[in-house]
Amino acid sequence: MRMSTGYPTERVLSAGAVAALLLVTSVQSVAAQSVPSPTPAAVSVDFGSQQGELPRPERLNNFGNVTAWPDQRAGDVRFLNKHGLHGDVYRVWLSSPNAPDDVNVFNMCDLATNSCDLTKLDAYLTDASTVSDSLLVNLNPTAFVEGKRPLKDLRPMVELILRSVKKAYPKVKYVEAFNEPDWQFHGMQRQQGRPADQTTLQPGDLYRYYVPFYEAVDKVNQRLGRENRIELGGPALMWMDPKWMKPFLDDFAADRNRNKRLDFISYHAYLSWDDNYRVPTMYNTDLRVVASQRDTLRGWLKERRIDARTPSYVTETGIYPGPAYDDTDPRKDYLRQAAGMATYGYYFAGQRDTYMFNWCVRHRVEERKDQLVSRTTGGPATDTFTPYGNMMLMQSRMKDTRVSAVSDAVDGDNGVYAIASKDRTGASLMVWNWQHTKDQSYRATIDMSRMPSELRHGPVRRLVYRIDSTTSNYFGDPGRAELQLVDSKPVRPGRTYTETVDLAPNAIYLILLERA
């Protein structure tokens, strides 16, 4: 993995952080000397089983901040809605440190006049309200944490902001306090050489800035009907770091205020750091690292007698933290991002009370995170998915009830993954080969048993879609950028059905079986 220098960074990274990321990942992209032949793989799908409602990560998404591609946003919303990617929850930014001060909501509201002028956020929040059933607003109180504004003003300011925003944009349902405070106010300063005890914020100090948030939300909710009340969570840590999360939970547990609230716990999934913020561990080297996070968090909650069902919101997820990349050939990295995000979704789907958010529709500066094509020689493309966006489109076409799907070809975290589902309209299967920078191909035989009764009699329409280096990939072939139907034919499955697919590195298939 390397660090792009073509664009400024969205997350501010110190020179030390860039150097550390380069050092730890420079060995990951060794070019293959030869392409190995496909290895046999077996996938077993039992459509007679039921594993509950299929998780829908494609319905949890992020807009970049208000400055990210504003001219494209309204058209993007129409395109996403048209293609079935309307959201359950979209995360939006009201006080991004990467946006100008005049679009920071803390500077749009005046306690003296008890009013807010939200004009500069109106198009942004209107578009977000059009593409999603509800909104999660991120509020980052930078000036208060840095001592530039008095802490006593934080509660009334947050109350004023939320009362004004909720009135104008009633789809606002969730508030996330902070954004990576462990990095912004501590880790980045450690990178720059500041001693640990002299950073702006210490782990034990974070909760005192959270209290004004729940006090403000309580005041706002008193004027709202039960069904319209706001939920509050945080602290949106850069990673699920026990050095920061445990003191935050300790302080919440010790807080005797009967009106305290922590409706969800949020953090991000890209990487972790050593204690000195010198050596990163990239999650993309083994995505299984996230598979046990909920069990860990549940243990911390139980130890403190906090509700163990308090949900986890992973509000940013990705294989490329900051401006990182693996290859200067975007075809490879855009495809890796798609397969990597599918794999994240697989591991988070196995964890109860955990909700993974995608990141993001169009990133302001970091291209490999884009779901829509934003960087071309002619400027941003219109109505065009990246491979990542096409992978989310595949997810949106899956059926509603998850069933058992087991692969025998996962080595470490690399290899063949499968997720399958069914409902009255048919059966569906996504299968992919997460390789990151490795080059193993597979020939996967997919045995489907106990097919749904609706598909056992009469003709069934079989549809096969694929994403790979040249298919459903603008950067491999602009003429085949939309999700490609690569095979379609009538079949008669009976009780069992078998498919064989060739999976190049990071290739993704969607197979649909529906009544003709």
Side-chain angles (χ1 to χ4, degrees):
M1 182 181 295
R2 301 177 177 85
M3 305 303 296
S4 170
T5 57
Y7 304 98
T9 63
E10 174 73 15
R11 177 184 294 105
V12 179
L13 291 177
S14 68
V18 172
L21 288 170
L22 280 168
L23 178 64
V24 78
T25 60
S26 61
V27 298
Q28 292 181 13
S29 298
V30 178
Q33 299 300 311
S34 62
V35 178
S37 59
T39 296
V43 175
S44 300
V45 181
D46 180 3
F47 280 108
S49 65
Q50 294 196 43
Q51 297 184 341
E53 185 177 352
L54 181 73
R56 293 291 187 178
E58 77 278 5
R59 297 179 184 172
L60 305 175
N61 208 354
N62 271 268
F63 270 144
N65 71 44
V66 67
T67 68
W69 310 97
D71 294 340
Q72 282 68 44
R73 193 179 301 116
D76 292 347
V77 166
R78 289 191 293 270
F79 181 67
L80 292 166
N81 282 338
K82 176 182 177 181
H83 285 273
L85 285 173
H86 186 84
D88 288 340
V89 186
Y90 261 62
R91 180 171 177 250
V92 294
W93 303 79
L94 300 189
S95 56
S96 169
N98 301 305
D101 287 344
D102 66 344
V103 289
N104 183 324
V105 74
F106 285 103
N107 299 323
M108 297 177 175
C109 296
D110 186 347
L111 290 176
T113 62
N114 197 37
S115 64
C116 296
D117 182 355
L118 303 175
T119 304
K120 293 183 178 180
L121 291 174
D122 180 63
Y124 178 65
L125 294 176
T126 298
D127 288 338
S129 298
T130 304
V131 79
S132 187
D133 291 341
S134 59
L135 301 182
L136 183 155
V137 297
N138 180 275
L139 276 176
N140 193 24
T142 298
F144 295 90
V145 176
E146 293 178 342
K148 297 174 181 177
R149 301 178 74 163
L151 183 57
K152 66 179 180 63
D153 287 348
L154 182 55
R155 185 206 58 77
M157 178 59 76
V158 172
E159 180 184 348
L160 175 59
I161 290 170
L162 295 182
R163 190 170 67 245
S164 301
V165 170
K166 179 69 172 177
K167 180 179 180 180
Y169 310 97
K171 287 190 175 182
V172 171
K173 181 174 177 60
Y174 308 95
V175 175
E176 182 182 45
F178 314 111
N179 183 62
E180 300 186 346
D182 49 331
W183 176 253
Q184 182 183 2
F185 304 117
H186 185 85
M188 184 163 54
Q189 295 169 21
R190 296 283 287 120
Q191 282 275 336
Q192 295 166 347
R194 191 176 299 183
D197 60 354
Q198 295 181 26
T199 58
T200 299
L201 198 64
Q202 300 297 311
D205 296 333
L206 183 57
Y207 187 75
R208 67 192 290 250
Y209 297 98
Y210 181 80
V211 171
F213 277 86
Y214 80 61
E215 292 175 337
V217 168
D218 180 60
K219 290 286 188 180
V220 173
N221 280 345
Q222 289 176 16
R223 300 185 180 186
L224 298 174
R226 184 175 297 276
E227 69 282 0
N228 292 320
R229 288 176 184 170
I230 292 170
E231 296 184 14
L232 172 69
L237 298 179
M238 190 181 197
W239 63 287
M240 204 180 80
D241 184 354
K243 298 188 305 296
W244 285 81
M245 189 68 82
K246 286 184 174 182
F248 181 81
L249 296 176
D250 285 339
D251 289 340
F252 179 79
D255 188 344
R256 298 306 177 195
N257 189 329
R258 295 178 61 184
N259 294 320
K260 69 179 182 180
R261 63 186 308 139
L262 182 62
D263 297 302
F264 60 88
I265 298 168
S266 64
Y267 61 92
H268 298 165
Y270 297 105
L271 81 172
S272 60
W273 289 97
D274 71 325
D275 288 348
N276 296 316
Y277 291 86
R278 298 292 180 182
V279 181
T281 298
M282 315 301 292
Y283 287 179
N284 62 27
T285 62
D286 191 341
L287 295 180
R288 292 176 300 173
V289 69
V290 304
S292 61
Q293 287 185 336
R294 182 64 199 182
D295 285 343
T296 299
L297 182 57
R298 185 180 294 110
W300 295 345
L301 295 173
K302 287 182 176 179
E303 288 170 2
R304 292 157 179 82
R305 298 185 178 181
I306 301 171
D307 185 358
R309 294 294 305 273
T310 304
S312 303
Y313 287 8
V314 189
T315 50
E316 289 184 30
T317 315
I319 66 168
Y320 295 121
Y325 67 94
D326 284 310
D327 203 298
T328 55
D329 181 349
R331 290 181 301 174
K332 296 179 180 179
D333 279 2
Y334 278 108
L335 186 59
R336 289 166 180 150
Q337 169 77 353
M341 292 300 288
T343 308
Y344 266 125
Y346 176 89
Y347 283 116
F348 281 121
Q351 301 178 69
R352 189 177 181 180
D353 302 319
T354 300
Y355 301 89
M356 185 200 98
F357 283 65
N358 285 277
W359 174 250
C360 63
V361 176
R362 292 186 194 264
H363 198 282
R364 186 173 61 91
V365 290
E366 294 161 8
E367 58 189 297
R368 280 150 174 82
K369 301 173 183 177
D370 292 338
Q371 296 159 13
L372 297 174
V373 176
S374 303
R375 279 86 174 173
T376 76
T377 56
T382 301
D383 297 351
T384 307
F385 286 118
T386 64
Y388 175 18
N390 277 324
M391 184 278 295
M392 294 174 63
L393 187 57
M394 282 184 171
Q395 291 176 326
S396 74
R397 296 182 182 181
M398 294 284 287
K399 307 306 180 180
D400 292 334
T401 301
R402 188 176 183 181
V403 302
S404 173
V406 180
S407 166
D408 73 348
V410 177
D411 181 11
D413 76 320
N414 297 125
V416 177
Y417 287 82
I419 190 165
S421 59
K422 66 180 181 180
D423 60 24
R424 292 183 177 180
T425 69
S428 59
L429 169 72
M430 278 184 66
V431 58
W432 66 96
N433 177 18
W434 165 240
Q435 286 295 309
H436 189 205
T437 58
K438 297 179 182 178
D439 60 0
Q440 180 63 59
S441 297
Y442 288 91
R443 175 159 292 170
T445 300
I446 305 165
D447 291 321
M448 308 179 203
S449 64
R450 296 202 290 173
M451 296 295 293
S453 59
E454 294 87 356
L455 302 180
R456 295 180 191 174
H457 308 288
V460 170
R461 182 177 57 177
R462 166 188 167 276
L463 305 174
V464 180
Y465 299 86
R466 185 174 73 237
I467 303 170
D468 60 24
S469 61
T470 59
T471 310
S472 311
N473 188 340
Y474 175 92
F475 306 95
D477 182 351
R480 303 180 74 202
E482 67 181 57
L483 183 61
Q484 295 293 303
L485 177 66
V486 296
D487 197 10
S488 174
K489 66 180 182 182
V491 298
R492 292 180 178 272
R495 287 184 59 85
T496 63
Y497 183 69
T498 299
E499 279 276 358
T500 299
V501 295
D502 287 328
L503 288 162
N506 301 307
I508 310 170
Y509 277 80
L510 169 66
I511 300 171
L512 296 177
L513 297 169
E514 300 173 334
R515 289 294 301 270

